[in-house]
Amino acid sequence: MFFSINRIALIEEINKCNRIIDIKTPSPSITGILIDVNIDSLSLTSTNTVVSIKSLVRLNEMNLNIKQVGSMLIKGKYFLDILKKMDDDIVNISCVENNVAVLSGKKLEFSLNILDFNEYPNLAFREKGDSINVNCFDLKKALNQTIISVNEWKQKIVLSGLNFALKDGAFYITGTDGYRVSRKRLNFWSTNIENKFETNIPYRSVLEIIKLLPDNGECKIVIVDSYTSIVINNTVFQTTILEGQFPDVNAVFPSDFNTTIFVDNKKFFKLISRADLPNDDNSIPVVNMILEDEKIIIKSSIHQVGSFEETFEEFELKGIDSQSISFNSKYLIDSLKTFETKTLEINLIDSKKPIVISSAEDDSLSQIILPMFTS
Amino acid sequence: MFFSINRIALIEEINKCNRIIDIKTPSPSITGILIDVNIDSLSLTSTNTVVSIKSLVRLNEMNLNIKQVGSMLIKGKYFLDILKKMDDDIVNISCVENNVAVLSGKKLEFSLNILDFNEYPNLAFREKGDSINVNCFDLKKALNQTIISVNEWKQKIVLSGLNFALKDGAFYITGTDGYRVSRKRLNFWSTNIENKFETNIPYRSVLEIIKLLPDNGECKIVIVDSYTSIVINNTVFQTTILEGQFPDVNAVFPSDFNTTIFVDNKKFFKLISRADLPNDDNSIPVVNMILEDEKIIIKSSIHQVGSFEETFEEFELKGIDSQSISFNSKYLIDSLKTFETKTLEINLIDSKKPIVISSAEDDSLSQIILPMFTS
């Protein structure tokens, strides 16, 4: 094999593939990136046990010039390191005697040992099936807003990832660990408006999708059997899915509230951050919020460290003006961080019912938190 | 005790003291920061086994207002975390019943457990003795340029830090691990031009001084007995010193060279970086530099990884035009990084003698590297 290509573009493609590789895997061939050079295109493929990536570059894209077809299995980390240190715009890459890759520029040449591509698994990529298109930036934001409620190590497997559900013309991404729920509605485009599907994406795959998504353009989400793929431009990202029935979280969403508190997002976030007392053993303080006499009093304490109390008056109120409710401070802080709006609404029923955090400025996002029962 | 002070300024002072604290020390009191409030000033003190810091704030500086004198020993990390999350410009700090510190702002109050200040050691700070004044930014740069040749774990204790020497009207900072030498001459001001001293500062203390030095202003270096202090504005930084006789590196500095190669700093650095082949077991490749036929050929290899070769023609030459010499690539890269000048001079004698890297644009810095003998 022998081809030349734009160095910067190749770095980006190898980066995508390299990120998912698990270098601790017992089979050395799986730690490699497979480069396949055909007559009219070049593809780069990598995998770990859960996700696989394939990037396709066609002739003349990224200055690709193919002189001889063939395959080789490279160590992505070495290639990246070397390509980044080179100055040449175009690099020539060839394979010599099936065991050495030669990278060359105008005045320099690297000879690198490679892996045996015959040992590489035959990966099938699924790009056709039920699909919808979404905006890449919106999807990235939605994943970041919902992943906060997911516990990767949850015993109930289906909860250890995010639920993607298209139903009744709405597309929702939902995460829950049983104590809190993050739900986001996302705009989408589909040629088939009768479309309906549901899939559960593992936690680690979600993190990889977030890294892979660019800040603009569209991507396609494809659901096939026991896989879900995200097609972003020339790249297919494919993940296995989590088996099981995701709980119907819509059923637990309260809708009638006794009290709604309207607060400035930033100010309320800073207030709750202060209640999150520092400590050396990862204790998470319980935050007690008391609403009385047109004031909010926030209290927290950790036995070894000390205590905190602050009076907050910058809010508006609808409904019952006397409440006392306690939360895990981390859950509350995580939830507040996901909102980009200027104001927030904290919706309460009583001290034992879940609260819903939302914003009238953007009704696509809701965060639910179960309160803690304190003496 | 009871005082109020500018919050942002207090964060900065606590930060200085907190950085050196070793939280793993067996005595809990040593992990604290001692706050002493007197009638007209407040001081913050911290220590580990090697270095100690004391910062003094006088009445009205940093909005300091003293209401009641006293001492307390705080956990710096907790105080920093809380002060950073507050919004108030001025914070009130008091000590209640000798075991709780109260930090308060306009609408909030933190109560924090503190340590027993009676257990804190009595530290003596030495600010008078043989001293010179230097520019803070220049000193910071000089320490960064010379620390590269120091091996913290060197068996010969005196080599495990930097040598500060004032002699014959010149002030030099020198580091060496026996395979390379970094030497920097620094401008200084002294009221006593007959001044002469020598001291050896431990590696870790050098790192702390680098962090503490601001980018402008002057500081005073004070040598007293078995301590060296750096006085920066209101802060005294004191370190123990390394015992032993630092080698006379000036004696090993070659002065007559057979060949001098003039190169562009950035281009030559990138060239040598490319020769530093990637690998998984922290192998450091040997770089072979061959000068022949008006070209420089750079070669390197690591058995498991592969090899590199590049031809370099962008240089000027003085002296013998045929040389072949080999180096540890890491030593060469570390040395090249310390130069900020546009051009560099690589001065050679032969394949067995140390090379000297320098620059005519700034003759205060010299880096020496011993070559490696290869078959």
Side-chain angles (χ1 to χ4, degrees):
Chain A
M1 80 185 285
F2 190 9
F3 66 96
S4 61
I5 191 166
N6 181 284
R7 183 176 60 88
I8 303 292
L10 181 61
I11 288 174
E12 197 173 315
E13 299 308 316
I14 294 183
N15 242 334
K16 286 182 199 168
C17 290
N18 203 46
R19 230 158 18 206
I20 62 161
I21 289 171
D22 177 9
I23 52 161
K24 287 178 194 145
T25 194
S27 157
S29 71
I30 300 289
T31 66
I33 296 174
L34 183 68
I35 302 185
D36 278 313
V37 179
N38 298 311
I39 298 172
D40 58 356
S41 68
L42 169 152
S43 70
L44 296 134
T45 307
S46 69
T47 190
N48 60 39
T49 49
V50 177
V51 308
S52 304
I53 288 186
K54 183 173 189 168
S55 256
L56 190 80
V57 183
R58 290 180 202 285
L59 206 60
N60 298 325
E61 285 173 1
M62 307 179 188
N63 307 111
L64 176 63
N65 186 0
I66 293 167
K67 286 161 195 166
Q68 193 189 332
V69 300
S71 299
M72 69 175 176
L73 188 60
I74 63 162
K75 292 186 184 177
K77 193 182 139 221
Y78 292 178
F79 260 66
L80 274 179
D81 187 275
I82 286 169
L83 287 168
K84 283 179 188 167
K85 287 176 179 172
M86 288 174 73
D87 282 329
D88 300 81
D89 292 335
I90 303 289
V91 286
N92 303 303
I93 296 176
S94 58
C95 183
V96 180
E97 289 173 0
N98 280 326
N99 59 13
V100 174
V102 176
L103 265 88
S104 62
K106 275 185 199 132
K107 292 185 173 174
L108 58 83
E109 187 171 291
F110 289 92
S111 300
L112 292 172
N113 300 336
I114 51 176
L115 301 158
D116 183 358
F117 78 88
N118 293 309
E119 286 177 18
Y120 203 73
N122 200 351
L123 301 168
F125 283 85
R126 294 153 191 86
E127 295 178 54
K128 283 176 188 164
D130 284 340
S131 74
I132 56 169
N133 281 33
V134 297
N135 177 282
C136 290
F137 183 76
D138 290 349
L139 177 60
K140 193 197 285 199
K141 196 160 87 174
L143 297 176
N144 278 316
Q145 287 170 325
T146 49
I147 194 82
I148 60 150
S149 288
V150 179
N151 178 345
E152 185 185 357
W153 310 110
K154 198 74 192 171
Q155 282 217 309
K156 192 173 175 187
I157 296 295
V158 75
L159 295 189
S160 69
L162 284 177
N163 176 258
F164 284 25
L166 178 65
K167 197 179 153 189
D168 304 331
F171 177 51
Y172 279 102
I173 297 180
T174 311
T176 182
D177 61 1
Y179 303 105
R180 47 190 172 154
V181 180
S182 297
R183 191 184 65 179
K184 173 79 176 184
R185 194 183 63 241
L186 213 63
N187 290 330
F188 68 96
W189 299 266
S190 169
T191 48
N192 176 7
I193 53 160
E194 297 298 315
N195 221 339
K196 177 181 168 172
F197 65 68
E198 189 165 355
T199 182
N200 300 302
I201 314 290
Y203 184 89
R204 302 223 149 219
S205 302
V206 173
L207 298 187
E208 293 303 336
I209 296 168
I210 289 171
K211 283 186 218 154
L212 201 64
L213 283 166
D215 284 340
N216 45 50
E218 271 183 35
C219 64
K220 186 164 75 165
I221 302 172
V222 188
I223 279 85
V224 194
D225 308 331
S226 53
Y227 291 92
T228 294
S229 298
I230 315 271
V231 184
I232 310 163
N233 301 322
N234 64 325
T235 304
V236 186
F237 175 94
Q238 178 172 286
T239 172
T240 57
I241 60 171
L242 300 170
E243 298 297 334
Q245 181 59 45
F246 198 81
D248 182 7
V249 295
N250 289 328
V252 303
F253 258 76
S255 53
D256 289 327
F257 301 101
N258 292 330
T259 304
T260 298
I261 301 166
F262 300 84
V263 292
D264 179 90
N265 186 345
K266 280 188 192 157
K267 285 182 184 161
F268 193 71
F269 173 74
K270 287 189 87 171
L271 169 68
I272 302 301
S273 299
R274 286 193 281 271
D276 187 26
L277 291 163
N279 63 87
D280 290 327
D281 44 10
N282 293 320
S283 299
I284 293 167
V286 175
V287 174
N288 180 214
M289 181 165 93
I290 300 156
L291 174 64
E292 62 180 21
D293 300 334
E294 293 174 9
K295 286 175 186 158
I296 290 172
I297 298 160
I298 298 284
K299 290 182 182 179
S300 68
S301 67
I302 295 178
H303 181 68
Q304 252 80 14
V305 178
S307 61
F308 164 78
E309 184 171 332
E310 180 163 351
T311 307
F312 187 71
E313 296 173 64
E314 298 173 75
F315 63 94
E316 288 185 37
L317 187 75
K318 200 175 80 180
I320 296 171
D321 60 358
S322 174
Q323 293 271 12
S324 174
I325 189 165
S326 295
F327 302 98
N328 174 309
S329 62
K330 181 183 178 300
Y331 292 177
L332 200 51
I333 288 170
D334 284 351
S335 300
L336 294 172
K337 271 186 192 165
T338 63
F339 287 92
E340 294 173 347
T341 55
K342 197 178 174 316
T343 58
L344 289 183
E345 288 140 50
I346 318 287
N347 300 288
L348 302 161
I349 298 170
D350 59 35
S351 68
K352 287 171 185 155
K353 301 274 169 39
I355 64 159
V356 177
I357 306 174
S358 59
S359 174
E361 295 166 58
D362 173 12
D363 69 354
S364 69
L365 177 66
S366 304
Q367 302 281 4
I368 307 189
I369 304 174
L370 276 185
M372 291 177 80
F373 303 137
T374 53
S375 50
Chain B
M1 83 185 283
F2 188 10
F3 67 97
S4 60
I5 192 167
N6 181 285
R7 183 177 59 88
I8 302 293
L10 182 60
I11 289 174
E12 198 173 315
E13 298 308 315
I14 294 184
N15 243 334
K16 285 182 200 166
C17 290
N18 204 47
R19 233 162 11 209
I20 62 161
I21 289 171
D22 176 8
I23 51 162
K24 286 179 196 146
T25 191
S27 157
S29 72
I30 301 290
T31 65
I33 295 173
L34 183 69
I35 303 186
D36 279 313
V37 178
N38 299 310
I39 299 173
D40 58 358
S41 67
L42 171 152
S43 70
L44 296 133
T45 307
S46 69
T47 189
N48 61 39
T49 49
V50 178
V51 308
S52 304
I53 287 186
K54 182 173 189 167
S55 255
L56 190 79
V57 183
R58 291 180 200 284
L59 205 60
N60 299 324
E61 284 173 3
M62 306 181 191
N63 307 111
L64 177 63
N65 186 359
I66 293 167
K67 288 158 192 166
Q68 195 188 331
V69 300
S71 297
M72 71 176 175
L73 188 59
I74 63 162
K75 292 186 185 177
K77 192 182 142 225
Y78 293 178
F79 259 64
L80 274 180
D81 186 275
I82 286 169
L83 287 168
K84 282 180 189 167
K85 287 177 179 172
M86 288 175 73
D87 282 330
D88 300 82
D89 291 335
I90 303 290
V91 286
N92 303 303
I93 296 177
S94 59
C95 183
V96 180
E97 290 173 358
N98 281 325
N99 60 14
V100 174
V102 176
L103 265 89
S104 62
K106 276 186 197 131
K107 292 184 173 176
L108 58 82
E109 189 171 293
F110 288 91
S111 299
L112 291 173
N113 301 334
I114 52 177
L115 301 158
D116 183 358
F117 78 88
N118 293 307
E119 287 178 17
Y120 202 74
N122 200 352
L123 301 170
F125 283 84
R126 293 153 191 86
E127 297 176 53
K128 284 176 186 159
D130 283 340
S131 73
I132 56 168
N133 281 32
V134 297
N135 177 282
C136 290
F137 183 78
D138 288 349
L139 177 59
K140 194 197 288 199
K141 197 160 85 175
L143 298 176
N144 279 317
Q145 287 169 327
T146 47
I147 193 83
I148 60 149
S149 288
V150 180
N151 178 349
E152 185 186 357
W153 310 111
K154 199 74 192 168
Q155 281 216 312
K156 191 171 176 190
I157 295 296
V158 75
L159 295 188
S160 68
L162 284 178
N163 177 258
F164 284 25
L166 178 64
K167 197 180 154 188
D168 304 330
F171 177 49
Y172 279 102
I173 298 180
T174 311
T176 182
D177 61 1
Y179 302 106
R180 47 191 171 154
V181 179
S182 298
R183 190 185 65 178
K184 172 81 176 183
R185 192 184 64 244
L186 212 63
N187 291 330
F188 67 96
W189 298 265
S190 170
T191 48
N192 177 5
I193 53 161
E194 298 299 315
N195 222 338
K196 178 181 168 172
F197 65 68
E198 189 164 356
T199 182
N200 300 302
I201 314 290
Y203 185 89
R204 302 221 149 220
S205 303
V206 173
L207 298 187
E208 293 303 335
I209 297 168
I210 290 171
K211 283 187 218 154
L212 201 64
L213 283 166
D215 284 340
N216 45 52
E218 269 183 37
C219 63
K220 187 165 73 169
I221 302 172
V222 188
I223 279 85
V224 193
D225 308 331
S226 52
Y227 292 91
T228 293
S229 298
I230 315 271
V231 184
I232 310 164
N233 301 321
N234 65 325
T235 305
V236 186
F237 175 95
Q238 179 171 288
T239 173
T240 57
I241 61 171
L242 301 171
E243 298 296 336
Q245 182 59 45
F246 198 81
D248 182 9
V249 295
N250 289 330
V252 303
F253 259 77
S255 53
D256 289 326
F257 301 101
N258 292 331
T259 304
T260 298
I261 301 166
F262 301 83
V263 292
D264 179 272
N265 186 346
K266 280 189 191 157
K267 283 181 186 162
F268 193 71
F269 174 74
K270 288 188 85 173
L271 169 68
I272 302 300
S273 299
R274 286 193 281 271
D276 186 24
L277 290 164
N279 63 87
D280 290 327
D281 45 8
N282 293 319
S283 299
I284 294 168
V286 175
V287 174
N288 180 215
M289 181 166 93
I290 300 155
L291 174 64
E292 62 178 22
D293 301 334
E294 293 171 11
K295 285 175 189 162
I296 291 173
I297 297 161
I298 299 284
K299 289 182 183 181
S300 69
S301 67
I302 295 179
H303 181 67
Q304 253 82 14
V305 177
S307 60
F308 163 78
E309 183 170 333
E310 179 163 350
T311 307
F312 187 72
E313 295 172 63
E314 299 172 73
F315 64 94
E316 288 184 36
L317 187 75
K318 201 175 81 182
I320 295 172
D321 60 358
S322 175
Q323 293 271 13
S324 174
I325 188 164
S326 296
F327 303 98
N328 173 311
S329 61
K330 181 181 179 302
Y331 292 175
L332 199 50
I333 289 171
D334 284 350
S335 301
L336 295 172
K337 272 186 191 165
T338 64
F339 287 91
E340 294 174 348
T341 53
K342 197 177 174 314
T343 57
L344 290 183
E345 289 140 49
I346 318 289
N347 299 289
L348 301 161
I349 297 169
D350 59 35
S351 67
K352 288 171 185 156
K353 300 276 169 39
I355 65 159
V356 176
I357 306 174
S358 59
S359 174
E361 295 166 58
D362 173 12
D363 69 353
S364 69
L365 178 67
S366 303
Q367 303 281 3
I368 305 190
I369 305 174
L370 276 184
M372 291 176 80
F373 302 137
T374 53
S375 52

